[in-house]
Amino acid sequence: MVLLWIGIAVGVLIAVILIVKVVKTSSRDIVGIELQCNKCGYKTNGMKCPKCGNKPQTFGV
């Protein structure tokens, strides 16, 4: 029974944190990921690199 109450408390805490994050985030913010080639650093957006033919492995911020 105690584990049930702990689980409910953790779930409510996570929900509150996510709601606060949604409220604080501007509606004009964009979430994006830039994928780059490992060898040459060319921006590939998840496609095969046109310069060296490698698939991207790293995520850029």
Side-chain angles (χ1 to χ4, degrees), residues 2-53:
V2 173
L3 288 176
L4 179 68
W5 287 109
I6 292 172
I8 291 172
V10 169
V12 169
L13 183 64
I14 291 172
V16 168
I17 290 171
L18 290 175
I19 290 171
V20 168
K21 287 180 77 72
V22 167
V23 169
K24 284 187 174 184
T25 303
S26 172
S27 63
R28 301 206 182 260
D29 281 348
I30 298 173
V31 177
I33 297 174
E34 293 181 7
L35 296 174
Q36 300 174 2
C37 177
N38 280 342
K39 285 188 177 179
C40 63
Y42 186 76
K43 182 178 173 185
T44 59
N45 289 331
M47 305 301 277
K48 204 172 190 183
C49 182
K51 290 184 176 180
C52 61

